[in-house]
Amino acid sequence: MSQDRRYSFEFFPTKTDAGHEKLLATARQLATYNPDFFSCTYGAGGSTRDRTLNTVLQLESEVKVPAAPHLSCVGDSKDDLRGLLKQYKAAGITRIVALRGDLPSGMGMASGELRHANDLVEFIREETGDHFHIEVAAYPEMHPQARNFEDDLANFVRKANAGADSAITQYFFNADSYFYFVERVRALGVDIPIVPGIMPITNYSKLARFSDACGAEIPRWIRKQLEAYGDDTASIQRFGEQVITEMCERLLQGGAPGLHFYTLNQAEASLAVWNNLKLPR
């Protein structure tokens, strides 16, 4: 879509037929904005494997936007992963988001033959060469399970050096954390594009829950303003739209190579920011 920057949207596979139809309707609405690709998440331990596969194939074939499945190695054997790679390659999929993945409750760390995301990147390269553009995750505010920030930087460098083409960050609300992360990894010799992940603000309680789980910090001033609005959904959404739009403006002005919107299978909040930014269509 853009020679200089790329814009994308992320979905999660649903558990019901009605939810799936709504996802496809949202995808068709977003497709009119000509994003570079859609991505689709992969449940803990591969728990949504079939739904992710089916969603990705429909996005690619019916909605006509390139689709990038998430692929995680926790809980999957090499044969499982090999089979998925073959199916995606046969379907014309050319981009994959390679992750370690989350452990389902009760699953031991020993599950799966590959332990880390860099192992998965290496495996994809060994199996498929350069067929796939491989995205990896980046954590400007540190992965919640990392021992410290320096270790997390080293983990990211390993993923990049294993053969990743670009990265998408966990969402954040402090642009400085993104710029600092990019500065640090550039100093460590990593030059792949690092695209900010953007989470629209529409519901404070859900956002607080997500953020606590994934280690994304909600700055105190944002948290306090959202708390002050209480159940006033319209005010929360107006404030959230302004905050995210201004952050995205700063990110793009500072050289970010695009934006990746975490849609939560909803179009309106992401498109409000897109339209405010006057992004190309």
Side-chain angles (χ1 to χ4, degrees):
M1 174 192 132
S2 167
Q3 295 302 309
D4 300 317
R5 289 190 164 115
R6 58 163 232 225
Y7 301 98
S8 50
F9 298 101
E10 183 165 301
F11 301 102
F12 62 87
T14 64
K15 296 180 180 179
T16 66
D17 291 342
H20 184 69
E21 288 306 312
K22 183 180 179 185
L23 184 160
L24 292 177
T26 298
R28 291 187 182 98
Q29 182 180 357
L30 294 172
T32 65
Y33 284 70
N34 295 315
D36 289 278
F37 66 93
F38 292 145
S39 71
C40 185
T41 64
Y42 192 72
S47 57
T48 65
R49 182 185 299 117
D50 292 341
R51 294 199 301 276
T52 297
L53 174 65
N54 293 336
T55 300
V56 165
L57 296 183
Q58 279 191 280
L59 291 173
E60 182 87 18
S61 64
E62 296 179 23
V63 185
K64 305 297 185 184
V65 171
H70 287 210
L71 190 61
S72 67
C73 54
V74 168
D76 273 351
S77 68
K78 288 183 178 180
D79 282 344
D80 291 334
L81 295 168
R82 192 175 287 117
L84 278 171
L85 290 171
K86 286 181 179 178
Q87 286 181 281
Y88 286 135
K89 188 174 180 180
I93 303 297
T94 59
R95 187 185 297 265
I96 280 180
V97 183
L99 309 164
R100 186 200 73 177
D102 296 323
L103 289 164
S105 178
M107 180 181 281
M109 280 301 295
S111 297
E113 295 179 66
L114 305 175
R115 296 286 300 279
H116 304 288
N118 60 288
D119 299 325
L120 178 57
V121 173
E122 289 175 1
F123 179 76
I124 295 170
R125 287 286 176 241
E126 289 167 0
E127 292 292 319
T128 64
D130 292 330
H131 175 79
F132 292 106
H133 179 111
I134 300 178
E135 305 275 359
V136 292
Y139 296 88
E141 295 175 323
M142 196 178 84
H143 190 285
Q145 295 175 352
R147 286 183 295 181
N148 56 57
F149 191 64
E150 298 302 317
D151 272 5
D152 206 36
L153 288 172
N155 288 337
F156 181 77
V157 171
R158 277 192 289 273
K159 291 188 285 190
N161 291 341
D165 294 291
S166 54
I168 299 169
T169 76
Q170 176 61 275
Y171 71 87
F172 53 87
F173 300 108
N174 180 351
D176 286 333
S177 66
Y178 169 81
F179 291 125
Y180 181 71
F181 179 85
V182 172
E183 178 184 321
R184 289 296 310 275
V185 299
R186 296 290 184 250
L188 294 170
V190 174
D191 62 359
I192 63 173
I194 301 171
V195 175
I198 304 301
M199 176 69 82
I201 298 173
T202 59
N203 180 299
Y204 174 55
S205 59
K206 286 183 180 178
L207 182 68
R209 191 166 63 249
F210 285 153
S211 300
D212 289 343
C214 70
E217 180 183 353
I218 304 175
R220 178 178 170 82
W221 70 274
I222 294 178
R223 189 181 288 268
K224 289 301 180 182
Q225 182 62 75
L226 291 171
E227 288 173 354
Y229 286 134
D231 296 328
D232 184 351
T233 302
S235 293
I236 289 172
Q237 291 176 352
R238 279 195 300 271
F239 173 72
E241 181 182 326
Q242 177 186 353
V243 166
I244 298 302
T245 297
E246 290 175 356
M247 183 182 73
C248 289
E249 286 175 339
R250 187 173 171 216
L251 290 167
L252 294 173
Q253 289 168 0
L259 301 169
H260 180 77
F261 291 92
Y262 295 106
T263 69
L264 301 182
N265 295 358
Q266 307 286 332
E268 289 72 18
S270 296
L271 291 184
V273 174
W274 181 297
N275 291 328
N276 289 343
L277 295 170
K278 297 180 171 58
L279 297 180
R281 292 179 65 176

